[in-house]
Amino acid sequence: MGIKFSLLVVAALIAVVFLGVKVVGMYYVFGVIIPYLAILTFVGGFVYRIMNWARSPVPFVIPTTAGQQYSFPWIKQNKLDNPSTTAGVIGRMALEVLLFRSLFRNSKVELRDGPKLTYQWEKWLWLAGLLFHWSFLIIFIRHLRFFTEPVPGFVHLADTLDGILQVGLPGIYLTDGLILATVTYLFIRRVVIPQMKYISLPADYFPLFLILALATSGILMRYFIRVDLLKVKELAMGLASFHPTVPEGIGVMFFIHFFLVCTLFAYFPFSKLMHLGGVFLSPTRNMPNDSRMVRHVNPWDYPVKVHTYEEYEDHFREKMIEAGLPVEKE
Amino acid sequence: MKIYNANKIIPGLIIFLGLITFPMWYNMGKAAPPPEIKFDTPVIQQMAVKQCVLPKADMRTGHMQLLNEWRTQVVRNGYRTYVAADGKEYNMSLQNECIKCHSNKTQFCDQCHVYAGLQLGSVPYCWTCHIAPKEAK
């Protein structure tokens, strides 16, 4: 159900832009208006989501404690898996964001004949996920060559490293193949594993199909149905410098690719893709395990009126002395 | 409503917005029009019919693939002759054929390659083996 629906939506998006550009000729709409709306939606939505999360109180100290906590000096603490300081948290977060450390611990549990419970080393999701995200980042950086003039050095570096095989002309990018392979893996995984299929929703399939279509259209445009890059850059530079123009004669393939990326940007803040920002706001990852050193006050605690023993004694001291009860202050 | 950990979240958000809007402030509002391709070399000016091996639009988008095919034909298969759509024969050679007309490498090749964001001298890597034409500066 979710698969068909998502596939239909992506197909409809491609049909819309194809008809819009090829038949109706709405170059300005798809070349200027929709991209600006998409980036505005992205920025506005992103800020809204983050601020919404920032307003949510964290009631308890709930870091995942995946190693030995800070204890006696003769017990070695696992500073990355159970950090007690800000530096430790930064280290853990960096490993989480850059290397997906907690996903690396992924294991598969199976009940076998016997009955016997088995735990299996399962790294494929981690590997595919990591390669997918890094490929996407490198592809994103590479694309800055269309949005900057002069092109900065780190964009050249990404481009050179990605095309290091120097196969064919235009040269094959490693990330092009990797992103197709990994997105396909992530999709197949959802379909083949029954439990995964059961919990998968259109919101899971749609981004996969969208990214698959995005990568495919990009690859088609680079190697097969080529467009005039000078005009593409003129359009992109116009957008980046707020002097939008749509040069004539850019192939429809570009508009399909561009519309899909606009869809991705506009869809981003309202979807699971917000884990880009959300990972940094995960209390299980961003809190130090220091509940024995620092008191964490639950922000939503009702302000209870307390009556301490000192106040109690002040109140009843004379009566207590009269009754012969011990008091702390005479 | 109260914002928790604003001292960390707000700067983080500002850094993210700074990164994502990189093209908008990096160019400082300067649009960069594409370079004009120069065809005013002496050889081209003397030509009666100014025609390359393929139509201009196809050359603009597909010259790299054509050159790659030529490379394969010459180096691997040993064929030297390319027959264009109009029946005219060309010698498949970057140095001896292409450059004969397009002797203005810096203005013909490099300008656009640089504009398209390719790193001069490394992408495309034609001139790491081929000898670039001598140009009057």
Side-chain angles (χ1 to χ4, degrees):
Chain A
M1 170 60 213
I3 302 180
K4 273 186 208 153
F5 175 75
S6 310
L7 204 57
L8 264 174
V9 172
V10 174
L13 287 171
I14 297 173
V16 161
V17 60
F18 186 81
L19 294 175
V21 170
K22 205 78 173 168
V23 178
V24 190
M26 295 191 290
Y27 291 97
Y28 200 77
V29 172
F30 286 101
V32 175
I33 296 173
I34 288 176
Y36 273 136
L37 286 179
I39 196 79
L40 270 178
T41 314
F42 175 77
V43 170
F46 200 97
V47 171
Y48 172 78
R49 286 296 297 270
I50 293 288
M51 293 321 285
N52 203 22
W53 280 327
R55 285 197 207 98
S56 314
V58 178
F60 307 114
V61 183
I62 52 161
T64 36
T65 54
Q68 174 61 48
Q69 72 166 334
Y70 177 78
S71 179
F72 293 111
W74 41 272
I75 295 178
K76 199 177 166 225
Q77 183 199 0
N78 190 333
K79 286 184 179 164
L80 285 172
D81 290 326
N82 200 338
S84 56
T85 58
T86 307
V89 166
I90 291 171
R92 170 194 239 191
M93 190 59 97
L95 286 173
E96 186 65 44
V97 170
L98 300 175
L99 298 173
F100 304 175
R101 189 176 166 86
S102 61
L103 190 56
F104 189 71
R105 269 192 277 269
N106 187 31
S107 61
K108 195 163 86 181
V109 185
E110 258 177 24
L111 195 60
R112 293 180 182 235
D113 291 341
K116 214 172 174 184
L117 195 62
T118 59
Y119 295 89
Q120 215 173 21
W121 190 85
E122 164 54 31
K123 296 278 180 277
W124 294 111
L125 176 61
W126 169 80
L127 186 68
L130 193 69
L131 287 175
F132 167 73
H133 281 81
W134 275 104
S135 296
F136 212 131
L137 177 67
I138 292 169
I139 291 171
F140 186 82
I141 292 173
R142 257 183 20 215
H143 275 78
L144 288 177
R145 76 183 167 109
F146 296 112
F147 292 92
T148 50
E149 183 65 35
V151 179
F154 68 92
V155 178
H156 283 316
L157 185 71
D159 205 80
T160 310
L161 286 178
D162 203 356
I164 202 156
L165 290 183
Q166 297 196 328
V167 174
L169 268 178
I172 280 176
Y173 284 131
L174 288 170
T175 52
D176 280 356
L178 280 176
I179 200 162
L180 279 189
T182 51
V183 170
T184 307
Y185 170 81
L186 294 175
F187 169 68
I188 288 174
R189 177 181 156 270
R190 275 193 186 279
V191 181
V192 166
I193 304 173
Q195 297 95 317
M196 283 304 304
K197 191 168 185 198
Y198 186 73
I199 60 164
S200 294
L201 299 168
D204 298 308
Y205 292 118
F206 177 67
L208 287 177
F209 285 139
L210 187 64
I211 291 166
L212 196 61
L214 186 61
T216 310
S217 63
I219 289 167
L220 280 177
M221 185 163 52
R222 179 171 169 85
Y223 302 105
F224 303 103
I225 310 166
R226 280 177 306 273
V227 296
D228 191 334
L229 285 190
L230 297 189
K231 288 175 183 163
V232 169
K233 177 147 188 182
E234 194 182 354
L235 188 149
M237 284 302 295
L239 289 175
S241 60
F242 303 105
H243 297 107
T245 51
V246 183
E248 267 179 47
I250 304 180
V252 70
M253 205 62 216
F254 165 77
F255 285 98
I256 292 174
H257 186 66
F258 203 38
F259 183 60
L260 289 176
V261 80
C262 290
T263 312
L264 187 68
F265 266 88
Y267 174 70
F268 199 98
F270 312 104
S271 67
K272 65 187 243 177
L273 303 175
M274 264 310 283
H275 67 269
L276 170 66
V279 64
F280 295 99
L281 301 185
S282 308
T284 55
R285 296 288 180 283
N286 69 14
M287 296 184 99
N289 182 14
D290 59 359
S291 52
R292 284 149 204 249
M293 295 158 245
V294 183
R295 184 168 178 227
H296 181 87
V297 180
N298 184 346
W300 73 47
D301 270 351
Y302 185 79
V304 180
K305 199 166 182 294
V306 288
H307 194 218
T308 61
Y309 180 72
E310 281 80 13
E311 288 164 355
Y312 171 88
E313 210 183 80
D314 288 345
H315 203 164
F316 295 109
R317 185 166 292 113
E318 285 155 30
K319 285 184 176 122
M320 286 170 81
I321 294 170
E322 234 171 73
L325 289 172
V327 287
E328 286 185 354
K329 275 195 280 181
E330 289 290 336
Chain B
M1 244 160 90
K2 190 180 180 323
I3 294 168
Y4 299 95
N5 298 315
N7 60 336
K8 291 183 190 119
I9 293 175
I10 305 281
L13 196 56
I14 290 170
I15 290 170
F16 173 74
L17 291 179
L19 287 175
I20 207 77
T21 56
F22 173 74
M24 306 202 171
W25 50 262
Y26 178 79
N27 299 307
M28 299 198 296
K30 279 201 300 274
E36 285 284 316
I37 306 174
K38 293 269 184 351
F39 299 104
D40 54 352
T41 60
V43 181
I44 294 179
Q45 278 170 349
Q46 281 167 19
M47 286 169 86
V49 185
K50 293 182 174 50
Q51 172 64 49
C52 197
V53 294
L54 287 176
K56 195 170 164 183
D58 292 345
M59 282 312 279
R60 274 178 82 111
T61 56
H63 62 277
M64 59 301 256
Q65 206 163 38
L66 183 83
L67 287 170
N68 203 38
E69 276 164 24
W70 281 19
R71 190 278 316 263
T72 310
Q73 289 297 322
V74 171
V75 177
R76 299 195 183 148
N77 303 340
Y79 299 134
R80 269 277 172 201
T81 316
Y82 175 82
V83 184
D86 58 0
K88 209 176 158 201
E89 289 188 356
Y90 292 93
N91 178 18
M92 289 196 275
S93 167
L94 175 68
Q95 258 167 259
N96 299 326
E97 195 74 27
C98 303
I99 291 307
K100 207 163 68 189
C101 296
H102 303 291
S103 54
N104 51 344
K105 171 181 165 281
T106 44
Q107 282 175 334
F108 184 73
C109 307
D110 296 350
Q111 255 197 146
C112 290
H113 287 167
V114 168
Y115 184 73
L118 305 179
Q119 195 173 20
L120 208 58
S122 113
V123 186
Y125 44 96
C126 310
W127 311 104
T128 48
C129 300
H130 288 283
I131 297 164
K134 284 203 182 95
E135 289 177 79
K137 294 262 164 164

